[in-house]
Amino acid sequence: MSSNEQSAQEVEVIGSEGTIEGPIEGPIEGPTENTWEIEGVEIHLTPLQFHCLSLLQRLIALKNSYQTDPQYEAWLMSAINKAIYATLRDCIETNVGDQAKEFLRKEHQIN
């Protein structure tokens, strides 16, 4: 597909409410510079490492918010904990296990 054909292509975007925001016309451009950085991590990250660490951060935030949920259910907390463990294993496999463990240590100290 040439760049002209791609720019004429319509793309639907899902909004935060799960609704379609409408078609977007024109080229889809990403950042011109690949900066994969996470606050508190001093090493250069690959896109996969960035994905694993940012997912871990989101899961930790989800766990923290769900602990105070009035409709708390133990089975759901168990699922969140298993997702955190699986993501920790992914971080270890992508060589950012020490940074991931540091995120978990900080979370444990807060709770």
Side-chain angles (χ1 to χ4, degrees):
M1 181 183 300
S2 72
S3 62
N4 290 339
E5 291 173 346
Q6 185 178 12
S7 64
Q9 175 182 347
E10 290 187 6
V11 178
E12 293 181 345
V13 177
I14 304 292
S16 61
E17 301 291 318
T19 59
I20 297 176
E21 297 289 330
I24 297 175
E25 295 184 18
I28 300 173
E29 297 182 20
T32 58
E33 183 179 316
N34 288 337
T35 56
W36 304 102
E37 299 174 355
I38 293 180
E39 188 175 325
V41 177
E42 301 299 323
I43 63 171
H44 175 72
L45 299 172
T46 66
L48 182 58
Q49 290 171 331
F50 175 82
H51 169 74
C52 292
L53 286 174
S54 62
L55 177 60
L56 182 64
Q57 284 183 322
R58 290 192 309 263
L59 287 169
I60 290 170
L62 177 66
K63 178 183 175 183
N64 290 339
S65 67
Y66 188 67
Q67 286 175 336
T68 59
D69 191 330
Q71 297 176 346
Y72 176 94
E73 294 186 39
W75 69 270
L76 191 52
M77 182 55 78
S78 176
I80 293 169
N81 285 329
K82 288 177 183 179
I84 288 173
Y85 177 75
T87 305
L88 172 63
R89 297 299 308 164
D90 290 341
C91 289
I92 291 169
E93 288 293 318
T94 58
N95 297 320
V96 287
D98 292 336
Q99 291 80 8
K101 289 175 185 175
E102 186 61 32
F103 289 155
L104 290 170
R105 262 189 235 105
K106 289 178 184 177
E107 182 264 337
H108 185 67
Q109 290 173 354
I110 292 172
N111 292 336

